[in-house]
Amino acid sequence: MGVIDSAITSAVRQAIDWYAASKEFGLPYAISALAVLIVVVFWSVSAWSNAANTGKNLPPTVKYTLPFFGNTIEYGIDPVKFLQKCQKEYGDTFTFLMLGRMMTFTLGPDGNHFLFNVKLKDATAEGAYETLTVPVFGKEVVYDVPNSLFMEQKKFVKDALSTAAFKSYLPIITYEVKDYLDSVFENLKAGQETYIETFQTMSELTIRTAAHCLMGKEIRDGLRVGSVTKLYHDLDAGFRPINVFFRWLPLPAYFARDKANLEMTNLFKTIMKKRKAENDTETLDVLNGLMRAEYKDGSKPSDDAIAHLMIALLLGGQHTSSTTSSWILFELARRPDVVADLLEEQSMVLTGKPDTPPHLLPDLDYESLKKLTLMDCVMKESLRLHTPIHTIMRFVENDVEYKGLIIPKGHFVCAAPQVSHLTESKFPEPYKFDPLRHLGSDEGSGEWTINGVDIAQKSARSLFLPFGAGNVI
């Protein structure tokens, strides 16, 4: 990965120097020079790579026409459809070219298991995601630290998200949803209709509830006056998949991202300083949990690390939550029968009657929430059809063998759990939205637990892995 980045960066600089020294030739000549240099660099790296891998039993390579770009466009338009097409032609294991990178996919239950359990010395998430996450989240956390330290940081966050804390969040979530909807409908006359953009709405609700529940009152107040909103959007705008491939692009969005990261870090550090001065140990948010955390060696995360973990939590959970809730609403809008059943279920659980009008239903509490079986099935089915993360990657640090094939150093090895979610033998009519398929299901048809064991953490061979298994990303 670094070889190609360095080579193309060098080519860009040479083209810029060439243009600066020969301005009379004009911009078109510089662009042509840049194109030629990049192509030369690409073919040089490709030739070196091919020579290095000669004689190895490699996975089959998907055909492509354009050098460097390879299969990027087809994959980018519809990743799952493209992967299914390749699976049909090449089998569960194949390689395709995307923006100068060789992407090797290992599909199916065995392929998922391989990716999630590959040895760290052979393939790392850090190598795959460092350029995506570190500029946004910041230093000292996630993929900027050794994997063992990252695992401890994940435990810090998990410990802060306790059942007691979640129970305290439910009324906050209820308040935020009602407050938002009141703002949408407050100026409407009785019987008047309005339209809302689903994804925009769910993104707004997610950031409000996450800020209020997890970030603390101070960050939620910042959203109200707009100061935190601007910082969040600048960070989010710099959180793009292109970062995985090119860390050197001089984009205005990246400059704004870096400035926002610094300002958000300083904001969290100011809040921490105030809480320490006031000896605030009662607030049940993640920030206070991280302020109490200790590593196994007895050391504590620095204030910068805590601030960066808070940014990671805010950005990392925002996309999956807002995307999934948007898909749930999309599917329900096409199934009024399921909506009616959901309302009847809520009425029965909350009032003991099947026909209590929705506006008269009491607010949900933790125990009632656990009894909403159909709602649970609706969420599972939406996650099956619209998995938040369709491709999960590792960067191959050393040649690694899988089913007699060699996946070479320098490749990305990838899994795509959503392809497994569409396995017809396990999910009949796989493209049909059918929440009831999850009632009484086993591992193969989508259950989250088997005999009380969380399969999302224990069984990477499950055909239902909406959030991956183990070290997801």
Side-chain angles (χ1 to χ4, degrees):
M1 180 174 177
V3 173
I4 297 177
D5 276 347
S6 299
I8 296 179
T9 301
S10 176
V12 172
R13 287 172 178 165
Q14 289 180 50
I16 292 173
D17 292 343
W18 188 350
Y19 175 60
S22 309
K23 288 183 179 179
E24 66 272 19
F25 292 118
L27 185 59
Y29 288 91
I31 293 174
S32 298
L34 174 61
V36 170
L37 282 168
I38 288 178
V39 170
V40 169
V41 167
F42 168 72
W43 282 113
S44 299
V45 173
S46 295
W48 169 81
S49 178
N50 290 336
N53 293 319
T54 299
K56 297 177 182 177
N57 187 24
L58 305 177
T61 301
V62 178
K63 297 175 184 177
Y64 62 89
T65 303
L66 295 174
F68 185 76
F69 293 99
N71 309 101
T72 303
I73 296 175
E74 191 175 3
Y75 173 80
I77 292 173
D78 191 332
V80 174
K81 183 177 179 180
F82 171 72
L83 294 174
Q84 288 176 313
K85 173 185 171 184
C86 293
Q87 184 182 38
K88 189 174 294 185
E89 184 172 353
Y90 300 98
D92 284 345
T93 309
F94 52 85
T95 299
F96 69 88
L97 176 66
M98 181 167 70
L99 297 177
R101 272 63 172 192
M102 303 306 290
M103 315 294 291
T104 298
F105 275 77
T106 59
L107 301 179
D110 289 343
N112 294 336
H113 183 269
F114 169 73
L115 181 94
F116 292 124
N117 291 279
V118 66
K119 294 180 179 178
L120 289 176
K121 70 178 183 64
D122 293 327
T124 64
E126 293 91 328
Y129 295 110
E130 177 191 7
T131 55
L132 175 66
T133 61
V134 174
V136 178
F137 300 162
K139 296 283 189 179
E140 299 184 59
V141 300
V142 191
Y143 295 126
D144 189 54
V145 296
N147 182 264
S148 58
L149 206 61
F150 178 31
M151 293 301 103
E152 288 193 61
Q153 292 176 351
K154 287 174 70 174
K155 188 176 185 302
F156 293 161
V157 174
K158 182 180 178 182
D159 289 346
L161 296 173
S162 63
T163 299
F166 182 69
K167 288 179 178 179
S168 73
Y169 298 157
L170 271 175
I172 296 174
I173 295 171
T174 300
Y175 164 78
E176 290 291 352
V177 173
K178 289 182 175 180
D179 182 62
Y180 178 81
L181 292 177
D182 286 345
S183 71
V184 171
F185 296 113
E186 64 182 352
N187 295 322
L188 294 180
K189 297 178 182 178
Q192 183 181 355
E193 294 184 351
T194 188
Y195 294 90
I196 59 173
E197 206 285 320
T198 304
F199 182 68
Q200 180 181 333
T201 296
M202 300 318 297
S203 296
E204 178 69 19
L205 278 174
T206 301
I207 196 67
R208 288 188 183 199
T209 55
H212 200 156
C213 296
L214 308 180
M215 304 291 110
K217 181 179 181 297
E218 301 93 337
I219 299 297
R220 180 64 184 96
D221 290 343
L223 284 176
R224 289 191 176 92
V225 300
S227 57
V228 173
T229 302
K230 175 67 166 61
L231 296 177
Y232 167 76
H233 285 299
D234 284 347
L235 284 169
D236 187 51
F239 196 51
R240 294 291 181 262
I242 192 69
N243 295 33
V244 173
F245 298 103
F246 304 118
R247 69 183 73 191
W248 46 263
L249 293 177
L251 300 178
Y254 289 2
F255 299 138
R257 171 202 65 197
D258 296 341
K259 182 174 182 291
N261 178 276
L262 179 61
E263 292 186 25
M264 187 72 95
T265 298
N266 289 335
L267 175 59
F268 276 119
K269 289 168 72 175
T270 299
I271 295 170
M272 284 186 275
K273 183 178 180 180
K274 180 174 179 289
R275 290 190 181 187
K276 289 175 183 176
E278 296 175 351
N279 195 29
D280 177 3
T281 60
E282 300 300 320
T283 305
L284 286 176
D285 59 26
V286 177
L287 181 58
N288 260 19
L290 293 177
M291 290 172 65
R292 294 191 297 268
E294 285 189 3
Y295 291 115
K296 291 179 180 178
D297 64 3
S299 64
K300 297 177 70 67
S302 68
D303 286 352
D304 277 337
I306 293 173
H308 294 162
L309 277 173
M310 294 298 291
I311 294 172
L313 182 63
L314 184 65
L315 270 293
Q318 156 69 13
H319 293 87
T320 53
S321 299
S322 57
T323 300
T324 298
S325 55
S326 297
W327 278 118
I328 290 173
L329 289 177
F330 170 79
E331 293 292 355
L332 290 178
R334 303 193 299 173
R335 293 291 302 274
D337 58 315
V338 177
V339 174
D341 291 341
L342 285 170
L343 290 173
E344 182 179 338
E345 178 183 67
Q346 290 181 46
S347 180
M348 285 298 299
V349 169
L350 294 172
T351 68
K353 298 183 293 184
D355 54 356
T356 304
H359 67 282
L360 296 179
L361 292 175
D363 292 340
L364 282 167
D365 57 31
Y366 181 72
E367 294 304 320
S368 298
L369 192 63
K370 293 196 297 181
K371 297 176 183 178
L372 299 178
T373 304
L374 180 59
M375 177 59 76
D376 186 55
C377 291
V378 166
M379 289 190 292
K380 289 178 183 177
E381 184 68 345
S382 297
L383 287 166
R384 184 186 70 82
L385 285 170
H386 311 289
T387 309
I389 305 170
H390 59 72
T391 296
I392 300 169
M393 303 187 296
R394 300 286 184 267
F395 182 69
V396 182
E397 307 285 354
N398 296 293
D399 287 3
V400 60
E401 182 179 350
Y402 173 65
K403 291 191 173 182
L405 300 171
I406 299 298
I407 303 174
K409 176 181 178 180
H411 279 215
F412 286 80
V413 60
C414 311
Q418 190 171 354
V419 174
S420 300
H421 293 181
L422 300 172
T423 303
E424 191 165 8
S425 60
K426 294 295 184 181
F427 302 101
E429 298 182 83
Y431 291 95
K432 179 182 178 182
F433 179 73
D434 180 16
L436 297 182
R437 74 168 83 239
H438 297 279
L439 287 175
S441 58
D442 57 17
E443 177 186 6
S445 56
E447 185 53 271
W448 295 38
T449 58
I450 308 171
N451 299 325
V453 177
D454 183 356
I455 64 170
Q457 297 297 324
K458 303 297 183 182
S459 176
R461 281 195 172 89
S462 170
L463 286 174
F464 185 62
L465 296 172
F467 296 108
N471 308 331
V472 181
I473 65 170

